[in-house]
Structures are given as C-alpha cells and as structure tokens.
Amino acid sequence: MKNKVKALYTRMGKIPEIGVLIPLALIMVFTHLVNNNFLTSANMTAMLKSIPFIGLATLGASLCLVTGNVDISVGRVAGLTGMVFGYVMTQTNNLPLAIILGICVGVAIGLLNGFLVVNMGISSFIATMGTLYICGGLRYLVNHGTAMTLPESFRNFSQLTPLGISWFFWIVVGIYIIVGFVQRKTVFGRRLYATGDNIDVAKLQGVNTNRIRRMAYLLSGLFAALAGIMATIDINSAQPATGTAWEFKAVAACFIGGTSLSGGTGRAFGVAVGVFVIFVINNIINMINLSNYWSDVFTGCILAAAVLVDIIRKSQKIKE
Amino acid sequence: MKQPIRLGNRKQSVFEMLMSPEVSVLIPLIILCVYTSTVTPNFLKIKNIQVIIRYCAFIGALAIGEAFALMCGEIDLSVGTCSTLTSIIFATLIANFGVPPLVAVLLALIVGLIVGCINAFLTLVCKVNSWISTIAMQYVCVGLATVICKGKSINGLGEAITNFSTARPLGLSWMIFIVLGFFILTEIAIRFTSIGRQVHSVGINEKAARVAGIHVKKVKWLCFVFSSFMAAVCGILQCINSTGANHSTGEGNDFPAIICCAIGGVSTNGGKGSLLGVLFGVVMYQTLKNCLQLLGLSNNVQLVLTGAILLLAVCFDVMKTRLKQRNLK
C-alpha cells in the first residue's frame, strides 16, 4: 500500500505541469474561503464559457513556440477573420462560404508569416509584429469598423449547453486532444519538437525544417481564424475589437504551461493549463472584490510567481 | 600596380557605405518624403519639420533603452508602461506633494531604476525568460500607475514645468536636446568603450563571451536597468510636455520602440545595431507617422501601412545582407 502511494507520488511528480497545478489548486481553495461563490458551478461554467477563444489562438501560438518562433499576431488575426466572417455572413447569408473565407484569411496570414520568417529569415518577433499591425488596422477597415449583428439562428446555437458548457468549449477541447495526439504520436509532431530542439540536428536527420516551421505558422493562422469565427458566433456579433491584447495573454499562457521560447518543449495539455491559470487569475480578482485598480498589479505578480514556481521545480529536478 | 587596387578599395568602401544599415533606412525615408512633399506642400514647411523632430524625443528615449535590451540578446516589453508609471509618479510628486521639480525628476528616475532592477532580477537571477518577466512587469506598472492616480489625470504642475515645456530653443524643445544628448553618449559608449563591445559580444554569443572573460550577467543587468532608466526619462519628458499625466500616457509604446530599433538595424536576436541606426529609425518612424497623417489617412489605414512598411524595410535589410554575402563569396 505504502509503495503504491509512493509510486503514485513519483508519477505525479513527473507530470511537467504539476508545479503550476498545485499552487493553482491552493489559490482556488483559498479564494473559495474568501468568497464562497467562487467554486460554484455557475461561476465555473461562466468562466469555462469564455475560455475557448483565447484558448484556441494560444494553442496555435504554442505550435510556433515549439518550433522556436513566436507568433504575436494571433489575436489580431482572430479579430480580422471574425470581421471577415461577419461581413460575408451578413452580405450573403451563406454560412459555409463565410467560414471558408474566414479560414482562408487566417491561413493566408499564416502563410505570410511563415514566408517572412522562414524564407526571408526575418526575426519572428518583428515579422509577426508587422502582420499584427496590418491585421490590427484591417479589422477596422472591414465594414468601416462598425459591428455587425449575425442572423438570429446563431444565437440559438451559441446558447446550447451540452454537458453544462457551450459547444465551443467542447470543440476546442476536441482540437486540444487532437493536437496533443499529433504532437505525441505522429511523425509530424516529433518533427515539430526536433526542429525546435535543435534545427541543425533535425536537418541532418532529414527533416524538412523549413516546411515544418511554415506549417506551424499555417496552423497558428488557422487556429486563430477558427477562434475569431467562434468568438463572433458566440456573441452573435462581429466586433472589430476582438483579439486586442490577446498576444501577451497567449504568450504568457504558453510560458506558464511550460513552453519555452527557445523551442522544443511544451505540449497541448500544458498550454491548456496555462490558459486556465490566466482565466482563473482574472476570475479570482473579480471574486475577492479587489479594487479594479489593483487587478493589473495582482495579475502581473501572479504571472511572475506562476513561472517562478515552475522554474524552481525544474532546477531542483536538474539537481537530483 | 598599386592604382587599381586603390581604385578597388575605393569602390569597396563606397559599396560598404551603401550597405551600412543606416543608409538602407535613409533611402526609403527620402522616397517617402519626396512623395509626401509633392502631394501635400505643407510637409516641407519648417514648422512641420520642427513638429516631427519635437515628437522624436519621447519615442527616441524609449528606443535607446530598448536597443540596449535587444543588443544584449534580451527583450524589454515593459518600457512603455514603465514610462507611464514614472510619469504618473513624477506628476503626483509635484502636484500633490509639492516636491521641487528637480527632486521629483530624481525620484522618478529612481523608480525607473527599481523597475529595471526587478526586471533584471527576475530574468537573470530567477532565470525567468525576459519575455515573461517584462510582460508581468507591464501589468504591474500599469496597475500601480492606475492605483496611484486613481484612474484620473493629474494636472497643475506649476509654472516652472510649463515654462520648460513651452520653451522653443531653435524652434524645437529642450526635450529633444536632452534625448539627443543621450543618443550621442550611448553611441559613443557602444562604439568606443569596452562596455559597448561587451554588450555586442554578449548578444552575439553568450557562451563565447563568458569564455572570453566577460561578466555576462553584469552586462545584462546593466542593459535591463538602463532600458528602464531611459523609459523613466521618457515618462518624465512626456509628463513635462503635456504638463500633466494620466494612466494612458505611454500606453502601447512598446511596439513602436521595438519597431524603431528594428528599422534602425538592431537585431532582435542580439549582437547587432548602433544607436545612430536607432536614431534614424526613430526619425523615420515619426516622419512616416507625420506623412500618413498629412496624407489624410484614417488611423486604421495608418496602422496597416506602418506594418507593411516595417516589413518592407526589414525585408530590404535582409536582401541587402544576402547580396553582401554573395559579393563576399
């Protein structure tokens, strides 16, 4: 029995995200003691309903990070595709066409990012900052930057609550599971990590690293586009401001989940944990009735603390 | 025998001059200026040029600091918000506590240094990636700034500040001269002192720098602290310029500072760049902004064009480097 407990303990210690999950659980329990509305199903479902959009965009950004590049354009790409989707939808009322065009925009920007970073050799931060500016402006030029209301039928879809949460949540969970599977079990997934870990070695092993890195950007654009479309359907209105300030949240969530900027590490589950942490922090700040002014200070401190805890744990592991 | 070689050398040197990063920024800048001046004659009026130069001071101060952070191979995403915090503190000290301006300047600069020290501590001692440590600092700075000013703008800084901000030596302002002074000092430091060489060599290859006997951490500490120090300078200048401060003073200035560095040839991977290039980058950025405004474009078209021109400038730089390498072969 004792051995079993010990084995369980060591196995838990091997989960890379445990360094973030345990403090998170403690903070959640503490918050519940302060305000016992926190761990109620109403609050939790409300929070989980708002997660999937940034969550999906972050997953795309994490794929780029795994290959050793950053993509800070995801938020604005989501905003732009949401607007394109809304515009096509209100003009033609043709759902498949609107979705396809929205996705095309996202993929096109992913391709552009990939071309700039991989073929031109521009630093990924600068290249995606350029597309961030371009998309940030373009989303306000679609329909002159005014919000568009979608047909009523979408509202019925977004108000469905299978298993207590919205469809979008389950779709994104599905995508996370697929990406997690691809990362772990497929050749493409292994090549992503090989490219990020050591690009020269990967090349010597016969991996087409340029193609892999371009692919990561393409997927990032695709996921951002899906996130934008889903966010638009969710609020039943295409808002140009969608996606503002997602970029730092996305990168922060990736870091909290154990993805490193130098590439080669990080998995879908970790990213999910990171996104969850970011939203829990926001929710906690609302819950403990912190004055609005203090919320940013608090967010920053927790962000740093969350990453610190993880780093301390890893350095201890290296010592062992 | 010797003459052709000399000729060759001269050709080489002209070629090298054309290939230096500063010149490659200048060419698109001139094209842009010529175009705008033909469309809107107001562009080349002395008054407009003075306006452009005056506004270079703020983004310039930020870009100097950011350039140091980038050159040593790190990134500082907190410069914009750090300037917000310092401008709020500066304004509060003068308006609410009646501190004499010079003391307030000193205290605000100290705040900047503290922010830089925390950034450096998190990044270098705790080994948090500089991205995440400075993003966290971004939140903290904005939060503290709003806490201090309670979300309201602070005015009433007294006559001395107003006089300083409305003074127009040579039709410019004192602030641009202060920032120019910083540019000259830092350019000298980067080009001619051992510290400058150390910053570059740390940025190029950290391990090699360590083996060569450079105290890598010390150099990086210096860069982080200097970056936030310059952010504090920017905050104070902005506060003086608008004779007041609010919590959105330096908002969204992180990316422009990095853009100026990138246009000016500072690599975000570290090890490359000069402050002269950054100065050109800043002038180009402000000129670009002014051009787009004079052309009567909406804010969003301006954003799109800024992004496109940034990418073009960087692509141009990359192609030039490739050409150079081919020529060397």
Side-chain angles (χ1 to χ4, degrees):
Chain A
M1 187 60 201
K2 220 176 186 181
N3 275 345
K4 257 188 183 169
V5 173
K6 213 176 173 186
L8 190 71
Y9 181 74
T10 46
R11 261 190 78 181
M12 267 178 62
K14 275 183 188 155
I15 301 173
E17 289 82 17
I18 205 86
V20 178
L21 280 174
I22 290 175
L24 178 70
L26 289 178
I27 292 174
M28 285 173 78
V29 170
F30 174 75
T31 316
H32 188 67
L33 292 179
V34 176
N35 180 344
N36 50 17
N37 282 331
F38 179 65
L39 280 178
T40 54
S41 66
N43 182 41
M44 282 294 137
T45 44
M47 193 180 76
L48 290 177
K49 264 185 188 170
S50 61
I51 279 187
F53 318 110
I54 292 191
L56 190 53
T58 308
L59 185 65
S62 86
L63 289 176
C64 287
L65 278 174
V66 165
T67 61
N69 293 321
V70 285
D71 186 353
I72 56 171
S73 66
V74 283
R76 314 286 159 112
V77 174
L80 176 61
T81 51
M83 283 303 276
V84 169
F85 170 77
Y87 186 72
V88 177
M89 198 60 219
T90 47
Q91 294 294 319
T92 65
N93 212 8
N94 186 342
L95 180 65
L97 180 75
I99 290 183
I100 288 170
L101 276 180
I103 288 177
C104 280
V105 170
V107 168
I109 292 163
L111 283 173
L112 175 67
N113 278 335
F115 170 77
L116 289 169
V117 173
V118 178
N119 297 51
M120 293 301 296
I122 299 174
S123 117
S124 57
F125 182 68
I126 298 294
T128 53
M129 187 158 69
T131 44
L132 178 147
Y133 266 80
I134 293 175
C135 294
L138 279 180
R139 66 194 170 142
Y140 279 97
L141 295 177
V142 178
N143 200 26
H144 306 291
T146 42
M148 292 162 282
T149 314
L150 297 183
E152 224 20 58
S153 52
F154 284 101
R155 194 177 293 267
N156 300 333
F157 177 73
S158 59
Q159 277 172 350
L160 288 177
T161 51
L163 299 176
I165 315 169
S166 67
W167 269 115
F168 305 112
F169 181 80
W170 296 113
I171 293 172
V172 172
V173 167
I175 295 178
Y176 264 85
I177 291 172
I178 294 170
V179 170
F181 176 79
V182 168
Q183 282 180 335
R184 285 187 94 143
K185 301 286 182 194
T186 65
V187 177
F188 174 71
R190 308 312 305 169
R191 283 183 177 165
L192 273 179
Y193 286 99
T195 306
D197 204 28
N198 191 329
I199 192 161
D200 296 324
V201 173
K203 257 183 214 157
L204 288 178
Q205 283 173 338
V207 177
N208 187 345
T209 51
N210 283 357
R211 206 177 63 98
I212 295 284
R213 286 188 295 163
R214 273 199 302 265
M215 197 70 192
Y217 271 113
L218 193 150
L219 285 174
S220 177
L222 173 70
F223 287 161
L226 286 176
I229 292 171
M230 290 203 294
T232 305
I233 297 177
D234 181 50
I235 52 174
N236 210 34
S237 148
Q239 304 275 355
T242 305
T244 306
W246 281 15
E247 57 273 354
F248 288 138
K249 271 186 190 155
V251 174
C254 289
F255 277 111
I256 291 173
T259 314
S260 83
L261 190 64
S262 43
T265 58
R267 54 182 189 153
F269 180 64
V271 177
V273 170
V275 175
F276 189 64
V277 168
I278 297 261
F279 275 85
V280 167
I281 294 172
N282 272 338
N283 194 267
I284 286 174
I285 287 165
N286 290 335
M287 278 287 153
I288 56 177
N289 263 335
L290 207 58
S291 109
N292 228 351
Y293 302 141
W294 279 102
S295 65
D296 277 336
V297 182
F298 195 65
T299 311
C301 292
I302 293 210
L303 244 170
V307 180
L308 261 182
V309 168
D310 197 43
I311 285 168
I312 291 166
R313 205 186 56 89
K314 271 183 194 147
S315 65
Q316 274 174 347
K317 207 170 165 187
I318 292 168
K319 266 181 206 158
E320 277 171 19
Chain B
M1 272 301 276
K2 271 183 183 174
Q3 235 170 355
I5 296 172
R6 208 186 279 160
L7 197 70
N9 274 350
R10 192 177 298 157
K11 254 186 189 166
Q12 192 72 28
S13 69
V14 169
F15 179 73
E16 292 235 304
M17 205 189 78
L18 280 174
M19 284 296 148
S20 73
E22 288 85 4
V23 174
S24 78
V25 176
L26 213 54
I27 294 168
L29 179 65
I30 291 170
I31 295 171
L32 190 72
C33 288
V34 169
Y35 175 70
T36 318
S37 59
T38 52
V39 177
T40 48
N42 272 344
F43 177 68
L44 277 182
K45 294 241 168 83
I46 293 276
K47 248 189 185 159
N48 186 46
I49 293 172
Q50 283 170 344
V51 168
I52 296 178
I53 297 176
R54 233 182 280 153
Y55 276 94
C56 282
F58 315 114
I59 210 77
L62 283 185
I64 294 175
E66 187 67 57
F68 270 81
L70 291 176
M71 278 191 286
C72 77
E74 300 284 347
I75 197 163
D76 188 348
L77 295 167
S78 68
V79 283
T81 46
C82 177
S83 75
T84 312
L85 177 64
T86 48
S87 72
I88 292 276
I89 286 179
F90 178 72
T92 319
L93 282 175
I94 293 179
N96 298 0
F97 295 96
V99 178
L102 277 179
V103 181
V105 168
L106 215 65
L107 288 173
L109 289 180
I110 289 172
V111 171
L113 291 179
I114 293 170
V115 170
C117 284
I118 298 172
N119 274 340
F121 179 81
L122 281 174
T123 313
L124 302 171
V125 180
C126 303
K127 305 241 162 39
V128 179
N129 189 295
S130 57
W131 270 72
I132 198 82
S133 57
T134 52
I135 289 178
M137 187 48 79
Q138 216 178 51
Y139 281 104
V140 173
C141 283
V142 166
L144 279 180
T146 25
V147 168
I148 291 170
C149 71
K150 298 189 185 71
K152 292 175 198 135
S153 54
I154 303 165
N155 294 310
L157 298 187
E159 209 142 287
I161 301 276
T162 318
N163 287 343
F164 188 79
S165 90
T166 47
R168 293 277 177 269
L170 298 179
L172 304 171
S173 68
W174 284 117
M175 291 154 233
I176 186 65
F177 290 110
I178 294 171
V179 174
L180 261 180
F182 273 112
F183 263 114
I184 293 168
L185 284 180
T186 45
E187 174 71 15
I188 290 172
I190 278 291
R191 238 168 233 236
F192 301 113
T193 67
S194 66
I195 297 218
R197 304 254 168 243
Q198 285 180 5
V199 170
H200 272 296
S201 47
V202 167
I204 292 166
N205 191 331
E206 217 181 296
K207 278 180 194 152
R210 189 173 293 130
V211 172
I214 294 172
H215 200 309
V216 173
K217 269 196 180 168
K218 215 163 81 185
V219 173
K220 287 198 171 181
W221 264 90
L222 198 76
C223 288
F224 270 113
V225 172
F226 186 69
S227 170
S228 295
F229 173 80
M230 287 312 296
V233 171
C234 168
I236 295 168
L237 293 183
Q238 262 177 335
C239 182
I240 293 176
N241 183 53
S242 54
T243 57
N246 61 41
H247 60 278
S248 62
T249 302
E251 207 178 60
N253 267 349
D254 303 297
F255 283 162
I258 296 173
I259 288 179
C260 291
C261 291
I263 301 177
V266 178
S267 155
T268 45
N269 299 325
K272 243 173 67 181
S274 70
L275 270 302
L276 196 62
V278 175
L279 179 60
F280 276 120
V282 172
V283 173
M284 168 145 182
Y285 180 76
Q286 282 301 339
T287 315
L288 172 69
K289 244 177 125 177
N290 189 275
C291 285
L292 297 178
Q293 271 163 8
L294 281 187
L295 290 174
L297 300 173
S298 81
N299 207 3
N300 303 308
V301 182
Q302 286 181 30
L303 276 181
V304 176
L305 285 176
T306 310
I309 289 175
L310 165 73
L311 289 180
L312 275 180
V314 182
C315 280
F316 185 61
D317 201 51
V318 168
M319 299 219 278
K320 215 184 52 190
T321 321
R322 282 191 189 164
L323 197 75
K324 199 173 175 182
Q325 277 164 351
R326 199 173 296 162
N327 270 27
L328 283 180
K329 271 175 198 168

